[in-house]
Amino acid sequence: MRSVDVIIVGASLSAAAAAKRLVDAGLETIVLERKELPRHKICSGILSPRGHRFLLENFGPLPREALHEPTSCRGVTFHFPSMVSMPMDFFGGTTPHLHRKYSDYWAITRSGAEIHDRTSFVGLEDHGDHVMVQARKNGESVAYRARQVIGADGPSSLVIRAIYPDYPQSIPWFFVGQKFHDIIDCPLSPDYFHFWFHPGLGHYTWSHARDGRQIIGVGFKRGDNFAQKHRNVVNYLAEKHGVRLHPHTEDEGCGENFGPSLINRYVFGKGNVLITGQAAGFLNMIGEGMSCALHSGAISGEAVVEARLRNRPVQEMYRRMIASEVRRTTDQWNPLKIAFERPHEADFRAALMALGWRDRGKVLRDLWRFLVLYKEFKWGRQMFSAALQRPLIGGYSMQRWL
Ligand SMILES: Cc1cc2nc3c(=O)[nH]c(=O)nc-3n(C[C@H](O)[C@H](O)[C@H](O)COP(=O)(O)OP(=O)(O)OC[C@H]3O[C@@H](n4cnc5c(N)ncnc54)[C@H](O)[C@@H]3O)c2cc1C
């Protein structure tokens, strides 16, 4: 049995950032990844400027194979049912369009941690001064012993289930699916990620160019019909935007914990087990999760290092250090922050003010109608009340943190 300082579950971006901090501090770290590396990851690969800076500062310039075509993205274009479109450039220029299969492998390799791929985390027992981890590799059980475990295993985290078995039932689950089409004619600019605030299309509707094809994506409540939702969007884009596509040649989808950051309900772990990245609930608006995965992952690694140096409980350290990332992520969803501050990395306010009065009114009305779509959920109502309370109480309600 291997005995190390830290086991990280998952070999994605949050794991790479955590591993970098731990290895730099001299801690022996093993990363467990259930898939064979480099592995596919369903993702649009649109990196925010903050995520880009993190990668550059911590891992260096990205290799060409870690990028899709087009290799960069200028920003996001919002489309509204009133047919107003608002292109918004990222602050500070374009960012790389990541090919997650290779960017994640590049980052985790550069972290310097020891990587055990095709090794699935199965369970753990926290004994106070150490954690026993059970995993499976090629059908065989493998055991590890570590001082701390970091769960960086994404939305359907088994590490969370190991410490809070009922957690998955306490949050809303979505399905996101995307289909890849060869293009006949597509007037949507390939330089932008396109997002529709359209209640008739679904909770989350997007499109962008990748490697000569056009992706059409839809997000909706678990249980709805993917094929029907997707067809609806394809027809809408043809009719309203003149997008003409061949039938799709490929599709993929997955379940998403789309909501914890919306209602400020994160999960950071228990005892010697820390949860980070999207597993913890970090997801920015428009489903941008890479920058907060990187930053929260780094903070989880730093928290382990600091806890050892100061001889303090690691949970206490992590919760104190992660507060800045919580505020940043939760602000992204706060309608009042969006209206009066700049929580995003593209200038919504400037794009809005560039419109005429009439179009501005249409956009605000369409946005409101879109947000009301989320009121049907209990947590959607919580979002509205949380957004209204926050400026009054001047902070975030810590009691929601698990
Ligand atoms: C369709 C779609 C489009 C998206 N587009 C964007 C985008 O354009 N920009 C953006 O910033 N974000 C986007 N996101 C979100 C982004 O992909 C995630 O937020 C981000 O990858 C989260 O990183 P993470 O490190 O927390 O976890 P993940 O990237 O989810 O990685 C978790 C890792 O853990 C491994 N794992 C899981 N279970 C186990 C286990 N039991 N044992 C061992 N290993 C395990 C997985 O195989 C995986 O490698 C998108 C997501 C989807 C679904």
Side-chain angles (χ1 to χ4, degrees):
M1 181 179 58
R2 279 292 294 279
S3 184
V4 290
D5 290 310
V6 183
I7 293 283
I8 300 177
V9 182
S12 194
L13 295 179
S14 61
K20 179 86 172 76
R21 294 293 183 270
L22 295 165
V23 173
D24 284 355
L27 299 183
E28 191 179 359
T29 304
I30 290 183
V31 173
L32 308 182
E33 168 57 49
R34 66 179 168 185
K35 297 186 180 158
E36 183 172 3
L37 295 175
R39 58 93 180 93
H40 174 69
K41 161 80 180 88
I42 174 171
C43 185
S44 300
I46 308 299
L47 187 63
S48 79
R50 187 166 172 254
H52 187 203
R53 283 196 303 276
F54 187 99
L55 287 179
L56 276 174
E57 285 160 10
N58 288 277
F59 302 112
L62 281 145
R64 174 61 182 88
E65 67 166 3
L67 304 177
H68 282 295
E69 191 66 43
T71 54
S72 62
C73 179
R74 277 183 69 170
V76 181
T77 299
F78 285 169
H79 300 275
F80 296 93
S82 52
M83 294 311 295
V84 178
S85 293
M86 275 174 56
M88 288 172 288
D89 286 8
F90 287 136
F91 294 126
T94 63
T95 63
H97 179 190
L98 293 192
H99 191 321
R100 294 292 303 273
K101 180 172 180 176
Y102 300 107
S103 59
D104 294 14
Y105 185 55
W106 164 80
I108 200 74
T109 308
R110 290 185 78 96
S111 75
E114 184 177 330
I115 302 160
H116 294 187
D117 66 349
R118 289 180 291 124
T119 308
S120 293
F121 168 87
V122 176
L124 59 78
E125 279 169 31
D126 189 343
H127 295 274
D129 61 345
H130 70 277
V131 185
M132 293 301 300
V133 173
Q134 296 90 45
R136 283 191 87 73
K137 185 175 180 107
N138 302 329
E140 306 272 313
S141 291
V142 198
Y144 299 87
R145 180 190 162 116
R147 278 281 300 281
Q148 276 95 17
V149 171
I150 297 180
D153 50 342
S156 310
S157 168
L158 278 188
V159 180
I160 292 189
R161 282 167 213 227
I163 51 173
Y164 298 117
D166 297 333
Y167 180 72
Q169 284 84 52
S170 71
I171 59 164
W173 285 91
F174 278 80
F175 178 87
V176 291
Q178 56 184 15
K179 300 197 181 198
F180 297 73
H181 298 260
D182 286 330
I183 299 167
I184 301 167
D185 186 24
C186 184
L188 300 174
S189 167
D191 296 337
Y192 291 87
F193 178 81
H194 298 266
F195 184 87
W196 279 263
F197 281 93
H198 196 313
L201 297 178
H203 292 83
Y204 188 90
T205 305
W206 76 95
S207 182
H208 66 105
R210 172 188 286 178
D211 301 330
R213 294 190 289 179
Q214 193 70 19
I215 292 178
I216 306 286
V218 282
F220 46 84
K221 279 182 299 179
R222 210 152 59 170
D224 282 353
N225 185 316
F226 179 24
Q228 203 173 45
K229 292 269 176 196
H230 169 264
R231 199 166 37 244
N232 191 20
V233 176
V234 170
N235 292 340
Y236 178 87
L237 295 193
E239 188 190 326
K240 302 287 188 183
H241 294 273
V243 176
R244 294 195 305 128
L245 303 170
H246 286 291
H248 71 275
T249 47
E250 227 183 291
D251 62 26
E252 58 185 5
C254 63
E256 286 284 293
N257 59 345
F258 201 59
S261 51
L262 195 67
I263 55 167
N264 194 28
R265 191 190 174 100
Y266 299 85
V267 46
F268 297 120
K270 188 157 78 175
N272 290 304
V273 182
L274 305 186
I275 306 294
T276 199
Q278 198 176 332
F282 286 103
L283 195 63
N284 287 318
M285 211 177 177
I286 325 290
E288 189 269 308
M290 290 191 280
S291 63
C292 46
L294 287 163
H295 282 268
S296 62
I299 292 170
S300 70
E302 279 164 20
V304 169
V305 175
E306 285 292 306
R308 286 177 184 223
L309 277 176
R310 294 166 197 266
N311 200 22
R312 300 295 312 160
V314 71
Q315 285 296 333
E316 173 195 310
M317 207 48 87
Y318 187 36
R319 282 157 200 250
R320 192 184 301 162
M321 293 170 69
I322 200 74
S324 60
E325 197 59 28
V326 165
R327 175 174 292 275
R328 190 182 278 274
T329 309
T330 299
D331 275 357
Q332 290 240 338
W333 298 89
N334 184 333
L336 294 178
K337 295 274 177 189
I338 297 168
F340 300 111
E341 295 180 18
R342 278 178 160 188
H344 298 124
E345 294 185 76
D347 204 339
F348 173 79
R349 246 194 321 163
L352 186 68
M353 297 317 273
L355 300 173
W357 275 103
R358 191 174 293 214
D359 282 349
R360 248 182 264 172
K362 285 182 193 166
V363 164
L364 293 175
R365 186 199 59 200
D366 286 346
L367 267 176
W368 178 251
R369 286 182 180 160
F370 183 77
L371 287 174
V372 166
L373 182 69
Y374 285 84
K375 264 185 84 177
E376 67 182 278
F377 301 107
K378 190 167 128 250
W379 53 267
R381 293 192 291 277
Q382 284 173 3
M383 173 192 78
F384 281 102
S385 64
L388 292 172
Q389 277 167 22
R390 260 173 228 143
L392 301 177
I393 61 176
Y396 293 94
S397 54
M398 306 283 283
Q399 72 272 18
R400 288 195 194 283
W401 297 9
L402 282 174

